[in-house]
């Protein structure tokens, strides 16, 4: 007969106490009721569960002496969550609840610190562990923060249910790679933390991080789907460049960012220069967020000329950032950051509107203006509104505006992207493929949308002359001609390059050999002085 403790019997929450052999030492009536049995088994692991996998998971979970949680099917259509307390003096507390248990004093602390999806702790447990470490005067500890690569794609394509199943499998692999006295935390989403007490050797931490990267990079099988994700890991330790327990998680996060920056699917150990780099980045981010409001952006324009009839056909608008103390900031530096922090839509909207307004001042109404559009701007339908509003506000004829997009836009082959491209096309605006040949491997998108122009990336134009390079350029030019698309060669810097492209039948030329980008105020003078390249060279 299993003993019943009066204090437990008074609770509506199902509670039991087990020993190190999983024998149920004490239990209240509510615990049996939760398990839907009249008489409790001798051991907790002997309970009758409909799925063998659930029984295996429970046995496996109880091998860990730390806190955890596990949700299992107790009967068809009914699940039960076990909140498993840490083993103390050979015993541990088990709470059985359908969902979260009642918040009475006996269960509140444990339940509040656990993540029911994975059985790991949460941020509250992490904070509690730090308080315990501080009370003990811990001098050596470490944090690994794990972020899953490409997890969002799993939720987007296979659904959140599959994503949750995947997180459970990830948690199992993390648990299998760590020790019983490590605290395992799910911060939220697809971020996990391993808090390691008394770790004195960085080599061991790097070995663990490498093992986890390898393990989480192996395929997962979820609901019949093989899923490949991978992980990036940041490491911080008190015996390294961190000297405060409270800084470990922040420093590990900085190391994680560095690991991602270096190409993902790897790990990085925090070093003190990362902190200064993070401070500089925050300052840069603040400056970028303010730049548009402070009117620090301007547009320069690089001419595009027709090789056949030797005239300027239009200009490409190129954004410039003139910062009062940083000087001119390269778009290669601030555009990726603008995409990352969500500022690219506002900046892109301003570029389109400003380019249309300034093009209206050009006397030759045959001149077009081309604007680069980031793939991030196609994240929602606001790109179509931005184009429509810019045309309406400026009065520019739609046929004079051309949007340049890169092949990276088609990585997802999204129906919504094609819908937006067609909506822009229906406005009368041309769409060109920029940096052709450097991005997406498939050519299927050329068959799915009537692009106005193919722009050959400058890396092909400026490469060392070779039969292979010439064949690639000739192939792109022939493809453009056969598809009825104009071809623009960008990055032309020499007469030899221009002459070869003219010989091969390229439609348009752009590059320093024609002219460097110029402010809007210099365009009229440039057009008056323009001398066709071949005539200038003669």
């Amino acid at each position: 007969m299993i003993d019943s403790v009066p204090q437990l019997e008074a609770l509506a929450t199902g509670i039991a106490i087990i020993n190190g052999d999983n024998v149920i030492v004490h239990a209240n009536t509510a615990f049996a009721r939760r398990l839907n049995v009249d008489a409790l088994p001798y051991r907790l692991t002997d309970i009758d569960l409909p799925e063998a996998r659930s029984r295996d998971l429970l046995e496996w979970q109880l091998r860990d002496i730390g806190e955890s949680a596990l949700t299992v099917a107790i009967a068809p259509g009914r699940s039960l969550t076990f909140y498993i307390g840490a083993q103390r003096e050979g015993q541990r507390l088990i709470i059985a609840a359908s969902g979260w248990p009642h918040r009475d004093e006996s269960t509140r602390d444990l339940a509040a610190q656990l993540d029911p999806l994975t059985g790991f702790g949460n941020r509250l447990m992490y904070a509690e562990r730090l308080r315990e470490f501080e009370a003990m005067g811990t001098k050596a500890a470490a944090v690994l923060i794990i972020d899953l690569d490409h997890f969002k794609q799993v939720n987007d394509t296979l659904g959140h249910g599959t994503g949750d199943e995947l997180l459970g499998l990830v948690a199992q692999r993390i648990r299998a790679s760590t020790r019983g006295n490590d605290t395992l935390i799910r911060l939220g989403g697809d971020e996990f933390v391993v808090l390691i007490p008394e770790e004195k050797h960085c080599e061991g931490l790097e070995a663990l991080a490498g093992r986890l990267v390898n393990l989480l990079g192996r395929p997962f099988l979820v609901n019949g789907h093989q899923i490949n994700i991978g992980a990036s890991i940041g490491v911080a330790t008190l015996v390294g460049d961190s000297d405060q327990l409270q800084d470990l998680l922040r420093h590990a996060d900085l190391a994680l960012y560095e690991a991602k920056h270096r190409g993902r699917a790897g790990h990085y150990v925090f070093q003190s220069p990362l902190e200064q780099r993070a401070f500089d980045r925050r300052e840069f981010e603040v400056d970028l967020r303010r730049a548009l409001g402070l009117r620090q952006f301007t547009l320069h324009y690089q001419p595009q000329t027709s090789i056949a009839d030797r005239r300027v056909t239009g200009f490409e608008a190129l954004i410039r950032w003139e910062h009062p103390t940083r000087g001119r900031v390269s778009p290669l530096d601030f555009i990726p950051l603008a995409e990352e922090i969500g500022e690219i839509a506002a900046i892109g909207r301003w570029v389109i509107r400003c380019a249309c307004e300034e093009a209206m001042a050009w006397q030759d109404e045959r001149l077009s203006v081309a604007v680069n559009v980031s793939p991030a701007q196609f994240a929602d339908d606001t790109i179509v509104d931005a184009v429509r509003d810019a045309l309406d506000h400026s009065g520019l004829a739609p046929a004079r505006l051309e949007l340049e997009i890169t092949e990276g836009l088609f990585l997802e082959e999204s129906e919504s992207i094609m819908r937006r491209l067609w909506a822009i096309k229906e406005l009368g605006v041309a769409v060109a493929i920029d940096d052709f040949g450097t991005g997406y491997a498939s050519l299927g998108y050329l068959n799915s949308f009537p692009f106005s122009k193919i722009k050959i990336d400058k890396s092909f134009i400026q490469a060392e002359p070779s039969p292979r390079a010439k064949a690639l350029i000739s192939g792109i030019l022939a493809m453009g001609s056969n598809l009825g698309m104009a071809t623009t060669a960008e990055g032309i810097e020499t007469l030899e390059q221009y002459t070869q492209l003219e010989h091969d039948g390229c439609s348009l030329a752009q590059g320093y050999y024609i002219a460097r980008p110029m402010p809007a105020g210099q365009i009229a003078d440039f057009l008056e002085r323009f001398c066709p390249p071949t005539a200038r060279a003669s």
Side-chain angles (χ1 to χ4, degrees), residues 309-340:
D309 56 16
R310 306 289 196 269
R311 70 177 181 87
V312 178
T313 60
F315 293 84
E316 179 181 359
L318 302 167
I319 190 170
R320 297 290 184 263
W321 180 13
E322 299 290 347
H323 190 273
T325 58
R326 297 177 187 272
R328 176 169 291 182
V329 184
S330 170
L332 295 177
D333 293 329
F334 72 83
I335 292 297
L337 179 59
E339 292 175 336
E340 183 179 337

Side-chain angles (χ1 to χ4, degrees), residues 40-59:
L40 289 170
Y42 180 62
R43 286 185 172 85
L44 182 60
T45 48
D46 293 336
I47 62 173
D48 186 21
L49 295 175
E51 297 179 358
R53 179 174 177 270
S54 295
R55 292 193 296 273
D56 293 341
L57 284 174
L58 179 59
E59 290 183 5

Side-chain angles (χ1 to χ4, degrees), residues 92-329:
R92 61 202 313 182
L93 181 71
I94 307 294
I95 303 170
S98 301
W100 293 104
H102 298 290
R103 298 300 195 198
D104 53 61
E105 291 300 322
S106 65
T107 64
R108 179 176 56 199
D109 291 341
L110 176 62
Q113 292 180 30
L114 293 173
D115 171 43
L117 180 63
T118 62
F120 286 7
N122 57 23
R123 289 179 181 272
L124 290 176
M125 181 179 289
Y126 180 84
E128 180 62 28
R129 286 291 175 273
L130 286 196
R131 284 192 289 270
E132 292 176 4
F133 286 178
E134 288 177 342
M136 293 185 297
T138 298
K139 301 298 183 183
V143 162
L144 276 69
I145 183 167
I146 305 165
D147 184 77
L148 303 182
D149 299 330
H150 315 300
F151 178 74
K152 183 178 182 298
Q153 295 177 14
V154 176
N155 277 340
D156 291 345
T157 58
L158 300 177
H160 288 271
T162 298
D164 287 348
E165 291 256 4
L166 176 61
L167 290 174
L169 295 176
V170 166
Q172 290 182 28
R173 292 190 185 183
I174 294 174
R175 188 184 296 276
S177 299
T178 51
R179 302 172 301 187
N181 62 339
D182 297 336
T183 300
L184 307 181
I185 304 290
R186 181 186 174 212
L187 289 181
D190 61 339
E191 279 196 336
F192 298 86
V193 162
V194 181
L195 177 57
I196 303 173
E198 298 300 329
E199 179 55 61
K200 300 178 181 179
H201 303 291
C202 192
E203 296 83 358
L205 292 171
E206 291 207 65
L208 172 59
R211 192 160 62 247
L212 285 168
V213 167
N214 178 270
L215 199 58
L216 298 177
R218 297 176 186 176
F220 291 85
L221 186 63
V222 184
N223 299 329
H225 299 283
Q226 179 175 307
I227 300 175
N228 295 82
I229 45 173
S232 301
I233 299 178
V235 182
T237 174
L238 283 182
V239 296
D241 282 12
S242 303
D243 55 11
Q244 298 291 329
L245 278 167
Q246 300 296 336
D247 291 335
L248 281 177
L249 187 59
R250 180 170 59 85
H251 287 174
D253 198 44
L254 292 175
L256 171 65
Y257 180 84
E258 184 66 18
K260 290 183 176 181
H261 180 70
R262 290 170 176 248
R264 298 178 181 269
H267 71 276
Y268 193 83
V269 179
F270 173 78
Q271 298 173 4
S272 52
L274 289 182
E275 197 146 35
Q276 181 61 47
R277 197 181 308 170
F279 176 80
D280 293 341
R281 184 181 183 276
R282 283 194 295 270
E283 292 292 304
F284 189 37
E285 180 180 322
V286 169
D287 287 349
L288 179 57
R289 290 185 186 279
R290 299 171 58 195
L292 191 59
L294 295 176
R295 300 184 178 181
Q296 294 173 353
F297 292 126
T298 58
L299 293 183
H300 283 207
Y301 296 87
Q302 188 170 38
Q304 299 173 333
T305 64
S306 168
I307 295 178
D309 56 16
R310 306 289 196 269
R311 70 177 181 87
V312 178
T313 60
F315 293 84
E316 179 181 359
L318 302 167
I319 190 170
R320 297 290 184 263
W321 180 13
E322 299 290 347
H323 190 273
T325 58
R326 297 177 187 272
R328 176 169 291 182
V329 184

Side-chain angles (χ1 to χ4, degrees), residues 341-391:
I341 66 176
E343 289 293 309
I344 194 64
I347 293 173
R349 189 162 50 246
W350 174 86
V351 170
I352 296 172
R353 185 163 181 157
C354 183
C356 290
E357 289 175 352
E358 293 184 338
M360 281 296 292
W362 303 341
Q363 292 185 352
D364 188 344
E365 294 186 354
R366 297 176 299 170
L367 294 174
S368 64
V369 61
V371 176
N372 291 287
V373 180
S374 162
Q377 289 178 255
F378 275 82
D380 53 52
D381 291 327
T382 57
I383 180 62
V384 181
D385 296 332
V387 174
R388 184 186 297 108
D389 293 346
L391 293 172

